Amino acid sequence: MKAILSKDRENFSGLGMNGLAFISLLLLVLITYSNSFNASWHLDDGPNITENRNAHLQGFSWSEVKNALLASPSGSSVTCLRPVSRFSFALNSYFLGKDVFGYHVVNVGIHVLASFFLYLFLASALELPAVRTRYGTPHRFAALLVTVFWAIHPIQTQAVTYIVQRMASMAGMFYIMSMYFYLKAQLAHDRTAKRWFIAAAAGAGILSFGSKENAIVLPVSILLLRLLIVQGFTMENLRKTLRDLSVYYLLPLLVVTACLFAFHDIIDRVFALYHARAFTLWERLLTEQRVVLLYISLLLYPLSTRFSIDHPLEISRSLLDPPSTALSIVAILTILAAALLLARKQPLITFSLLFFFINHIVESTILPMELVFEHRNYIPSMFFFVPVVMGIMKFLIISSRPMRVFLLTSVGLVIVVLGYATFTRNLVWNNERSLWTDCLQKYPSSFRARHNLGRDYSLSGDAERAYEEYALALESPFISSSPKEAGITYFNMGLLAHERGDLEKAYTLYEKATGIDPCCPGAGNNMAGILLGRSLSNASAALDLLDRAIHCGHESETILAWSNKSILLWKLGRHQEALAAAHKAFEMNPGSPLNLLRLGYMLKEKGDYRTASIHFRRILTINPRDIHASLFLAEIYFNSADIEKGKSTLDRLLQEVPVEEVIRFLETHTDEGAGLEVAPRIALLLPFLEEILQEDIPSRRRNADQETHPSSAIRGKK
C-alpha cells in the first residue's frame, strides 16, 4: 500500500512539475518576445507570404486547400515543398488576418510548444534508470534548466521573430514531439499504448519533414537516441544500430535519390545551382566547418551585439586559405572524438554533441545554399546545453551550501542575461531599416546590408540615399554568396534613374545588370520599353530582349514579356502573332488589368467589340477609376452608334476621377501611343467629353456651394 501511495505521490509531483514547467516556459518566452509582435515583414516573407496569393485562404474548397499546400514562393517554379508550414501561413491569414501580429502570435506559440516538448523529452530521458543512476540529479529541474537556456537564447530569434522561418521552428516542434513520442513508446509497458506512441512519433516526424526538409535526419537522431539513451552503448547495440541505419534509412534514401536522379534530374538541377554561387561544392564544404564553429561561439557567448541577419565570411579556398579552415576541422574532429570516447560513461553528453553535428548535416555541408543563417540552429541546438547543465548539477551536488547559493545565483544571472539579449535582439527586427542598420554596425562591408538598406530608402521615397547605399554595396568585397545579386543592385539603381526620367543612365545600368545576370528580373522588359520609346526602328533589339525575358522563366517577368511582345508585334502589323502572344499572357494571368487592357485593345481594333467590352468591364470591376478602360469602353459604344451608353460611361468616369486627372491623361496619351503604350481615339472622344463637362458645370457649381456652406445642404434636404 505504501508503495502504491509513493507511486501516486511521484506521479502527482511529476504532473505538478510539468505544469510549473509549462507556465515558467510560457512566461519566460512571452516576456523575452513581448516586443516582437509588431515586428515588420522581412526578406523572404514577401515571396512566401505577402506576395503569394496561395498563402491567403478565402475558403476551404479543395482547390484552395491544394493551392495552399502546394504553393511555391512567388516567382519560383518549385512546388510541393514544405506543405505543412505553407498551409499554416494560409490558415493564419484566414483566421487571424493578414496583419503581422497574428503571424507573430502563432510563431511564439509554436516556440512555446517546442520548448515544452523539449522539456518533456529531457525529463523522460533523464528519468531512465541508466541515465538517472549515472548522473543522480533532480531530473525535472535539470530538464527545465536546459530548456530555458535553449528557449530564451537570442540565436532563436531568427527562427521565431522572422515570420517565414516558422518553417524552421515548426519543423523543430514536430521533430522534438516525434522524439518524445518515440521515447514514450520505448517506456510503455502496454502494447496498445506502445503502438499509439509509435504512430504519434511517425505522424509528428512526417509533419516535421513537411514543415522543412532538414527533418530528413530525424531517423538518425532516433537511432542515436536508442543506441545511447534507451539501450545503452555496447558493441552489440552499435552493430544492431548500424544495421538498422543501413537497411531502414540509408538504403531507402539511396533508392529514392537514384529514382529522382534517373527520372526527374532533381540532383542535377540542385547542384546546377552552384553555377549561380560564388563558391564551389568543395569550397562550401570547407567554409561550413568555420560556420559551424561560429554557431558554437554564438551559443556559448550570446551577446546581442554578436548576432546579425548577415555574417559575411571569407570563402575557404583550401585547407590553409584561410588557415582557420584547417583549425576548424581539427576542432570539430576533436569534439567528435571526445564525444565518442564518452559514449559509455556519459551517453547523454555524447548524444547531445552528436545530435548537434548530425542535425547540421543537411544545411551545413554540400547543398548549394547560403553559407550562414542563425535559424539553422533551431533543431541542432536543442540539446546543446545538456553538458553545461550536467556540469552545473554535478557541482551543486558536491558543493558546500554557500557555493550552491553562488552557483544558483549565477544561473539566475545567466537566464536574465539571455532573456535581455533576446529582448534586445528583437528590437532589431522591428523594421527593415533597423535590421540592416544593425547589420552594418557589425559588418560595415556587408553587401547585403547595404543593398537592402538602399531598397528600404527607395521604398520610403528617399531616392538619393537609396542610390548612395546601392553604390556602396557594389564597393563591398563581399558581393554576397551569389554574384548575381550585384545585378539586382544595378537594376535597382537603373529603376531609380528610370523614375526620374534619366533614360540613358537607366539603360546603361540595366545593361550592367544583364551583363552580370542575363536573366536579371525586370531588366529585359524595361530595356525594351526604353528602346521602343526612342523609336519603333529598335523593334528587332526589343524583341530579342523580350524573348530572353520569356525564356529566363521568372513567372511574373515572363507574363509581362509576353504582354509587351504582343503590343510590339501589333504595332509592327503582325496581328495574328500579336493576338497569340496577348492570349498567352492572358492565360498565364487572367486577372491582370494590363493583360485585359491590351487584349481588349487588340480585339477592339479588329472589330470584336463584344469580347473587347467584356475585358474592359472586367477591369472596371477591379478598379472603377481606370481611365484607360473607361475611355476604350466609351469608344466602343460610340463606334457602335450607342451614344447614350458612351456618354454614360464617360459621365461615370468623371464621377470617379477628378476632371483635371482625366485632362492630364488626354494630354499625355496620343492616338498612336508611344513605346508600348496603347491609347484610345482622343479625336472621337473629345467632343463628347466637352459636351458632358458643359452640361455638368451648373450641378458642379451647386455641389461646390453645398460643400462650402454645409448649412445650405441641410436646408436643401428639408
Side-chain angles (χ1 to χ4, degrees):
M1 186 67 180
K2 286 181 181 178
I4 294 172
L5 289 173
S6 175
K7 187 68 176 174
D8 285 343
R9 279 195 298 271
E10 186 179 335
N11 289 338
F12 179 78
S13 83
L15 288 171
M17 183 61 190
N18 288 348
L20 181 63
F22 178 77
I23 293 169
S24 301
L25 290 168
L26 176 64
L27 290 175
L28 283 170
V29 170
L30 285 178
I31 290 168
T32 52
Y33 283 89
S34 60
N35 59 342
S36 72
F37 289 97
N38 289 309
S40 70
W41 303 104
H42 298 285
L43 292 168
D44 290 342
D45 289 335
N48 285 282
I49 306 172
T50 59
E51 299 161 13
N52 189 346
R53 59 179 179 271
N54 290 325
H56 305 286
L57 274 179
Q58 302 299 319
F60 288 92
S61 66
W62 169 238
S63 62
E64 287 227 26
V65 171
K66 182 179 71 173
N67 287 339
L69 284 167
L70 308 183
S72 60
S74 178
S76 170
S77 59
V78 180
T79 58
C80 202
L81 292 179
R82 309 177 184 180
V84 177
S85 49
R86 293 195 187 286
F87 190 60
S88 78
F89 293 134
L91 289 174
N92 212 141
S93 169
Y94 185 83
F95 288 108
L96 297 176
K98 298 178 182 179
D99 186 70
V100 290
F101 182 84
Y103 289 89
H104 284 300
V105 167
V106 174
N107 276 27
V108 170
I110 288 168
H111 188 50
V112 170
L113 283 176
S115 303
F116 185 57
F117 274 97
L118 175 59
Y119 159 78
L120 291 175
F121 173 86
L122 286 166
S124 299
L126 288 166
E127 197 173 17
L128 290 169
V131 178
R132 192 169 189 178
T133 54
R134 184 168 281 107
Y135 295 105
T137 61
H139 57 284
R140 294 188 189 276
F141 177 74
L144 181 58
L145 192 54
V146 171
T147 305
V148 167
F149 284 166
W150 177 82
I152 65 171
H153 198 286
I155 205 168
Q156 314 304 355
T157 57
Q158 198 171 107
V160 180
T161 308
Y162 183 11
I163 294 173
V164 77
Q165 289 311 328
R166 177 186 301 179
M167 295 171 176
S169 59
M170 183 174 272
M173 179 186 71
F174 287 124
Y175 196 105
I176 194 61
M177 286 173 68
S178 179
M179 293 187 68
Y180 171 68
F181 291 136
Y182 173 81
L183 188 59
K184 294 295 285 184
Q186 301 307 305
L187 296 172
H189 299 294
D190 181 70
R191 188 171 294 179
T192 302
K194 187 182 288 284
R195 287 172 180 165
W196 277 109
F197 279 125
I198 288 292
I206 291 168
L207 291 171
S208 180
F209 182 74
S211 299
K212 194 175 180 183
E213 303 83 354
N214 58 339
I216 197 171
V217 296
L218 173 61
V220 181
S221 297
I222 287 177
L223 287 172
L224 188 69
L225 170 66
R226 188 183 75 180
L227 170 65
L228 293 170
I229 308 298
V230 177
Q231 295 178 342
F233 183 84
T234 64
M235 292 310 295
E236 178 60 29
N237 287 339
L238 178 61
R239 282 193 292 270
K240 185 180 178 183
T241 300
L242 290 174
R243 184 198 66 199
D244 290 349
L245 182 67
S246 302
V247 173
Y248 298 115
Y249 182 73
L250 292 178
L251 186 60
L253 188 62
L254 287 171
V255 170
V256 170
T257 303
C259 290
L260 291 174
F261 181 79
F263 298 108
H264 299 287
D265 292 332
I266 285 181
I267 307 299
D268 283 344
R269 279 191 281 165
V270 167
F271 286 100
L273 295 174
Y274 270 109
H275 295 307
R277 293 296 184 191
F279 46 77
T280 63
L281 185 153
W282 173 245
E283 288 169 345
R284 187 182 196 277
L285 186 60
L286 290 176
T287 308
E288 284 301 316
Q289 313 313 304
R290 292 161 50 221
V291 170
V292 169
L293 283 190
L294 171 65
Y295 292 152
I296 292 172
S297 77
L298 289 171
L299 285 161
L300 293 175
Y301 184 43
L303 291 181
S304 59
T305 53
R306 301 192 66 231
F307 295 92
S308 177
I309 183 64
D310 186 38
H311 292 271
L313 273 183
E314 181 185 355
I315 294 167
S316 294
R317 304 298 178 184
S318 70
L319 287 171
L320 298 175
D321 180 18
S324 57
T325 306
L327 293 173
S328 299
I329 293 172
V330 170
I332 290 171
L333 290 175
T334 302
I335 295 170
L336 290 172
L340 293 173
L341 289 172
L342 290 170
R344 288 182 186 276
K345 293 184 178 180
Q346 303 287 348
L348 189 59
I349 290 176
T350 298
F351 171 77
S352 304
L353 295 174
L354 293 181
F355 183 90
F356 178 81
F357 290 103
I358 285 169
N359 282 278
H360 269 302
I361 283 177
V362 173
E363 294 179 307
S364 297
T365 51
I366 60 174
L367 292 179
M369 308 166 73
E370 297 280 1
L371 292 172
V372 189
F373 273 124
E374 292 165 11
H375 67 259
R376 292 175 184 169
N377 289 277
Y378 195 81
I379 293 175
S381 65
M382 282 183 163
F383 306 110
F384 185 85
F385 297 103
V386 166
V388 176
V389 171
M390 290 302 102
I392 292 170
M393 300 304 293
K394 191 171 182 66
F395 275 111
L396 280 173
I397 291 170
I398 64 174
S399 298
S400 62
R401 183 180 177 84
M403 183 56 71
R404 284 200 294 269
V405 172
F406 173 76
L407 278 173
L408 288 172
T409 304
S410 299
V411 167
L413 284 173
V414 168
I415 291 172
V416 170
V417 168
L418 284 174
Y420 179 74
T422 299
F423 187 87
T424 305
R425 181 67 191 151
N426 277 325
L427 292 173
V428 170
W429 288 95
N430 187 51
N431 55 61
E432 283 284 274
R433 191 165 302 179
S434 61
L435 184 66
W436 296 111
T437 301
D438 169 80
C439 181
L440 281 174
Q441 288 171 356
K442 295 159 186 176
Y443 299 102
S445 58
S446 168
F447 163 81
R448 180 166 291 161
R450 291 286 180 195
H451 173 94
N452 285 293
L453 191 57
R455 182 175 178 273
D456 184 70
Y457 280 124
S458 177
L459 291 173
S460 63
D462 193 342
E464 188 175 339
R465 287 291 300 276
Y467 199 92
E468 288 175 8
E469 292 297 339
Y470 286 141
L472 287 170
L474 293 170
E475 295 174 7
S476 169
F478 300 99
I479 302 293
S480 185
S481 56
S482 175
K484 287 187 177 181
E485 290 189 7
I488 299 173
T489 306
Y490 277 117
F491 172 76
N492 287 351
M493 293 170 77
L495 274 181
L496 292 172
H498 205 151
E499 286 169 2
R500 65 172 179 258
D502 191 346
L503 300 185
E504 294 301 320
K505 188 170 186 177
Y507 192 87
T508 301
L509 289 164
Y510 292 147
E511 276 190 314
K512 288 183 178 181
T514 54
I516 294 170
D517 178 10
C519 287
C520 180
N525 278 296
N526 288 7
M527 290 169 75
I530 291 172
L531 284 177
L532 293 171
R534 293 172 185 168
S535 171
L536 197 59
S537 62
N538 294 317
S540 178
L543 277 174
D544 288 342
L545 288 166
L546 295 174
D547 284 334
R548 184 170 69 189
I550 288 168
H551 293 128
C552 282
H554 299 292
E555 184 183 9
S556 58
E557 286 305 303
T558 299
I559 296 169
L560 181 58
W562 275 115
S563 181
N564 286 338
K565 185 176 180 179
S566 70
I567 288 299
L568 178 52
L569 289 170
W570 185 271
K571 292 191 174 187
L572 292 173
R574 295 156 62 176
H575 292 172
Q576 288 304 114
E577 294 175 74
L579 276 168
H583 278 292
K584 183 75 176 177
F586 177 75
E587 288 165 9
M588 294 176 76
N589 188 1
S592 164
L594 181 65
N595 293 342
L596 288 165
L597 183 80
R598 287 175 167 177
L599 184 55
Y601 166 79
M602 292 178 200
L603 293 169
K604 173 186 76 75
E605 291 295 299
K606 278 179 63 69
D608 187 353
Y609 292 156
R610 178 178 169 278
T611 312
S613 64
I614 291 172
H615 290 319
F616 296 138
R617 282 197 292 268
R618 279 190 64 189
I619 295 171
L620 292 172
T621 60
I622 299 168
N623 178 18
R625 294 171 54 86
D626 193 294
I627 300 174
H628 244 130
S630 295
L631 295 180
F632 277 137
L633 189 59
E635 183 187 328
I636 286 175
Y637 288 135
F638 292 136
N639 283 333
S640 306
D642 196 339
I643 306 300
E644 288 307 312
K645 276 192 177 181
K647 289 175 68 175
S648 69
T649 302
L650 293 177
D651 189 51
R652 195 178 304 116
L653 170 64
L654 293 171
Q655 291 174 21
E656 293 285 347
V657 181
V659 175
E660 296 77 12
E661 196 174 323
V662 176
I663 292 171
R664 198 179 308 118
F665 178 91
L666 296 174
E667 289 173 346
T668 54
H669 289 73
T670 64
D671 283 348
E672 296 80 18
L676 293 169
E677 287 286 336
V678 292
R681 302 189 189 282
I682 306 299
L684 172 66
L685 298 170
L686 207 53
F688 295 105
L689 275 166
E690 289 175 348
E691 182 182 338
I692 292 167
L693 286 171
Q694 288 296 325
E695 290 173 355
D696 202 34
I697 285 174
S699 63
R700 286 179 186 276
R701 282 179 179 162
R702 282 195 302 274
N703 289 337
D705 289 342
Q706 288 176 356
E707 288 169 9
T708 308
H709 306 287
S711 59
S712 65
I714 295 170
R715 285 196 299 273
K717 286 182 180 178
K718 289 181 181 178

